[in-house]
Amino acid sequence: MPQLNTHINFNGNAQEAFNFYQSVFGGSFTKIIRFKDLPGLDAEVSEQEAQKIMHIALPVGDNILSGNDVPAFMGTVNELEHRSKIALRAQSRQEAEHLFKGLSQGGTIEMPLEDSPWGTYFAMFRDRFGIEWMIEYDVNQG
């Protein structure tokens, strides 16, 4: 079975967002590549664009959360129109609470962390960068 990882696009604040995610999940970045680090692009991008993140990766458990800044020549990402959510399955109620408290800080809560009608401990929110998250702990899954 393939591993499913998540990749997020940003409008110039990928480094800030990933520093925030690292503060919640811990760990170390496995890669940080800026547009200036790509051979042959130095003449094609402005200094501001050169500093943007071309690729960043943070291991989260057995998965990788990765992202990048979208260069201006490609347009902007509508950060309030993501049509998908990152779903995290916590290993305990305490882990669910830690993740919810950390990731929702400064964001907008759609469903607070509480026991759901379908029998899990569940929350849904948008973080301060506009990324949508779901956190769930299923007592039957342990």
Side-chain angles (χ1 to χ4, degrees):
M1 181 65 72
Q3 185 181 36
L4 181 63
N5 294 309
T6 304
H7 185 92
I8 311 169
N9 292 313
F10 292 90
N11 290 318
N13 60 342
Q15 181 77 60
E16 178 187 1
F18 270 76
N19 287 341
F20 172 68
Y21 300 144
Q22 183 184 43
S23 76
V24 175
F25 295 117
S28 299
F29 299 121
T30 57
K31 290 184 183 168
I32 300 177
I33 302 169
R34 298 186 186 280
F35 284 100
K36 69 178 184 173
D37 299 329
L38 298 175
L41 279 185
D42 50 345
E44 296 181 32
V45 295
S46 68
E47 178 58 27
Q48 182 180 0
E49 291 285 297
Q51 296 301 319
K52 289 184 178 180
I53 299 291
M54 189 273 181
H55 181 78
I56 190 166
L58 178 66
V60 179
D62 293 334
N63 303 297
I64 301 290
L65 178 63
S66 63
N68 69 283
D69 289 315
V70 175
F73 71 86
M74 294 182 72
T76 58
V77 176
N78 185 341
E79 293 173 344
L80 297 180
E81 289 298 324
H82 293 288
R83 294 293 182 217
S84 59
K85 298 184 186 313
I86 300 172
L88 299 174
R89 180 157 295 218
Q91 300 300 308
S92 67
R93 286 179 80 89
Q94 294 79 15
E95 183 180 51
E97 290 164 359
H98 169 76
L99 294 170
F100 177 74
K101 182 179 178 185
L103 290 170
S104 67
Q105 182 181 3
T108 305
I109 297 169
E110 295 177 39
M111 292 180 69
L113 185 60
E114 60 190 16
D115 292 322
S116 70
W118 52 91
T120 65
Y121 196 43
F122 181 82
M124 189 165 58
F125 59 93
R126 187 182 300 267
D127 72 20
R128 68 184 190 205
F129 299 100
I131 304 302
E132 297 182 64
W133 297 83
M134 295 186 301
I135 295 175
E136 186 170 44
Y137 170 62
D138 186 343
V139 295
N140 299 313
Q141 298 289 315

